[in-house]
Amino acid sequence: MGVTQQARRSAGVAAGVATILMVAACGSGGGGGTAAGGGDRPAASAGPVTVEWWGWAPGYEKAAEAWNASHPDIQVKYAQIEPGSKGGYQKMLGAVKAGNAPCLAQVGGETLASFLVEGALEDITDYAKESNAKFQPWAVNSVTFGGRQVAVPVDSGPMGMFYRKDILAKHKIDVPKTWDEFAAAAEKLHAADPKAFLTSFNPDDMYGFSGYAWQAGASWFSTAGDAWKVSITDEPTLKVANYWQGLLDKKLVDVKPAWSDAWFKDFTDGRIASLVGAVWMTKVLEDSIPKTSGKWAVAPMPSWEPGTTVTGNVGGSPNAVLKGCAHPKEAVEFATWLSTDQAAFDDLMVNGGLFPTSADGTSLPAMKSPRPFYGDQPVFEVFSEAATTVAPTFAWGPTTPAVNDAFNSAVGEAVSKGGTLADALKTVQEKAVASIKDKGLSVTEG
C-alpha cells in the first residue's frame, strides 16, 4: 500500500511541477525536438545506430555488452562516470549545454525535476507509451510530468539494515527492531569495544539522511497551485535530526565521509558493525569489502514504534533521454529492454544490486537467490517486503543539487564544529528556498 500511495502523491506533485515549469520546455513530443547544436535530428543512415549512455550502476557495462551482442542494428556505447552527486550530474548538464550530451543518462529520481528546470530532458512520451504496461504504474508516474514522460524507470531503493552477524553475536547484541533498540545496541557495543561503533554518521550524505526522514513521515517538498512548498525542518525531520544528534553527542557513532576509503576500511576492520541503507548497497558492500564475505546479514530497517513497519527509500535511478538526443526512439527501446528483460534485469540484481520496478520484477530468479556475502541469505526477499511499506509522504524538489550542496556544507560544519543538526537544517531550508527563487519559481516555507 505504501508504494501505491507514494505513487499517487508523486503523480500529483509531478503535475504541479509541470504547471510551474512549463513542461513544454523539455522538448516537443514524439521526436519533434532538436539534435545537439540546435539543428534538426539527422536522417536515418545506413549501418547501426549508436546510442551513447552514461551511468555508474554496477552491472551496466555488462548489460550494454549483452544488448550489443543481440541487437546489431542498435549499438550502445556505455561510459561509466562518477555518481551524480559526486560530479556526474554537473558533467551531464555541462554536456547538454555544450551540445555533446549522450542520448541516455542515469539520473536519480530525486534529480529529474532539477534536470527539467534546466531544460535538459527530452519528451519521450510517444516512444515509451506502448511499453509502459511492463512497469508498475507508480514507476511510470515517477518519471512523468504533466502527462509527458521524460525517462524510463529502472530501479527503486527501499531500505534495510545491513549488519555484521559475528560482531553482534560476540557481544550478545540482538538485531535491533526499533530505533530505541538501535541506540541501546550502539551504546552496548561501544562500551564493550571502545574502538567499535554500531554505525557511522555521514555528514556529506543528504540522500541517506533523507531516507531516515522519509521513513519518519517527512515531506520536504510539495506543490500547491503554482508554488513550491519547502519543509526541510518539518517535525519528522527534526525528530530524526535530534535522534542522531543524541548519538553524536554521546560519541556512539563513527563520523566519516560516505564512500571514502576510510569508511570502507572501517567496515573491513570491524570498526563499523552495521549500515541502514538502500537495497543497492547489497552489491556495493560485496564489491568494496570482500574480506568480510559471509559475515553480513540483512534485516528490516528499524522502526520508530514497536510493531509498526514503515520504510524509507534512497535512490532509484531512471534512464533519462537528454536534450539533443539524435536517436530517442532507439534510446527508449534499449532502456526499456534493460529494465524489463527478465535475463537482463536478473543480471542487474546479481551484479548490481538493483531492485526492479518492472511489473513482473518480483518473479525474477535473483529475488530468491542466496548471496554468499550474506551467508547465503536471500537478501532481496527482505527488500521485496520493505518495498511494500515505503512511506507515502516524501517528494523531491526542483533544485536538488543546490540543496545537496547546502546540506553537505551546513551539516558538515555542524558536526565538525560542535553545532547541531537541527540548526544546520534551518540553514538548508533557507538555502533551498533561495535556490528555488533563483530559478524564478514561486515558493513558500512549510
Side-chain angles (χ1 to χ4, degrees), residues 9-29:
R9 180 177 178 84
S10 296
V13 170
V17 172
T19 300
I20 298 168
L21 304 183
M22 297 179 295
V23 109
C26 73
S28 57

Side-chain angles (χ1 to χ4, degrees), residues 176 178-189 198 243 246-247 250 252:
T178 68
W179 284 112
D180 285 343
E181 292 177 2
F182 189 90
E187 187 166 9
K188 184 176 181 179
L189 175 59
L198 182 60
Y243 175 86
L247 295 178
K250 294 180 181 179
L252 296 179

Side-chain angles (χ1 to χ4, degrees), residues 139 179 290 338 385:
W179 284 112
L338 177 81
E385 180 64 27

Side-chain angles (χ1 to χ4, degrees), residues 36-38 54 89-102 114-115 117-120 322-324 439:
W54 289 1
Y89 293 143
Q90 291 91 332
K91 182 180 178 73
M92 292 174 190
L93 292 173
V96 170
K97 292 178 181 178
N100 57 9
S114 301
F115 270 56
V117 170
E118 298 297 331
L322 296 185
K323 192 69 176 178
K439 294 294 182 182

Side-chain angles (χ1 to χ4, degrees), residues 2 52 80 96 98 204 246 273 286 351 382 395 399:
E52 190 174 358
Q80 183 169 326
V96 170
D204 63 337
E286 290 176 349
N351 297 319
V382 176
T399 56

Side-chain angles (χ1 to χ4, degrees), residues 201 209 238-253 411 414-415 418-424:
F201 182 82
F209 185 86
L238 292 179
K239 174 182 177 180
V240 171
N242 291 333
Y243 175 86
W244 286 98
Q245 188 69 55
L247 295 178
L248 288 166
D249 290 346
K250 294 180 181 179
K251 301 187 185 306
L252 296 179
V253 292
V411 173
V415 171
T420 69
L421 298 179
D423 284 343

